[in-house]
Amino acid sequence: PDAIMEPGVMDVLGRFIEAGGEPEVAIQLLSDGYKGYAHLAGLVWQLSLDAGIPNEEVEGIVWSSLQARIRANFSAQEADKVLDEGEMPAWVEGLVQSEQGRAIIEELADAHKGCMLLSFASRRIVEIAAAGRAGDA
């Protein structure tokens, strides 16, 4: 679902068309598979704030739900495919900068010791912590 939101979608579309796929078919497949999860999440967040739920509480609920989905659906093989694209995606750096992101990375890294993406992210967490300690000195 929501393949249109994937970072490499343009490359995949290009390969599809180069292989003889029709652009109209590609558009139909992408639109049929679109569920709008990102937009729905933003809408629920805003509705929660409008209902008077404090932002910190909404953020906690979202992180808890996100972490549960990641735990349930994580695949080390799929995660490592991200590295095949040549550079680390910005979202990895965003996760290592976040306390909640670091927690899920560390949990997954313990469970998936051979995952290169998680190894890289764990190293970044250590680097950030070391830089923080050096800055405090």
Side-chain angles (χ1 to χ4, degrees):
D2 292 354
I4 192 74
M5 304 289 287
E6 293 295 322
V9 70
M10 295 307 290
D11 294 333
V12 173
L13 284 174
R15 289 194 305 268
F16 177 82
I17 292 169
E18 286 173 8
E22 296 291 326
E24 295 82 10
V25 172
I27 292 167
Q28 188 64 49
L29 290 169
L30 287 171
S31 62
D32 287 349
Y34 185 73
K35 304 294 183 211
Y37 292 134
H39 292 99
L40 288 172
L43 178 62
V44 170
W45 189 302
Q46 188 59 53
L47 289 172
S48 298
L49 294 176
D50 291 348
I53 301 172
N55 189 58
E56 296 77 22
E57 188 174 338
V58 176
E59 185 174 336
I61 293 167
V62 169
W63 269 109
S64 178
S65 176
L66 180 60
Q67 288 172 333
R69 288 186 60 92
I70 291 170
R71 279 185 207 98
N73 297 304
F74 184 78
S75 163
Q77 294 81 18
E78 290 297 315
D80 283 345
K81 286 181 183 177
V82 170
L83 299 175
D84 294 341
E85 295 176 12
E87 68 179 56
M88 194 59 59
W91 59 262
V92 173
E93 188 65 26
L95 275 178
V96 300
Q97 296 289 338
S98 156
E99 181 180 338
Q100 297 92 338
R102 288 190 299 272
I104 193 68
I105 288 169
E106 291 169 357
E107 178 183 330
L108 291 171
D110 284 343
H112 303 275
K113 302 244 185 252
C115 181
M116 297 302 295
L117 179 70
L118 293 172
S119 294
F120 171 83
S122 295
R123 274 196 307 270
R124 280 294 297 138
I125 290 169
V126 171
E127 289 170 3
I128 291 167
R133 284 192 298 275
D136 292 340

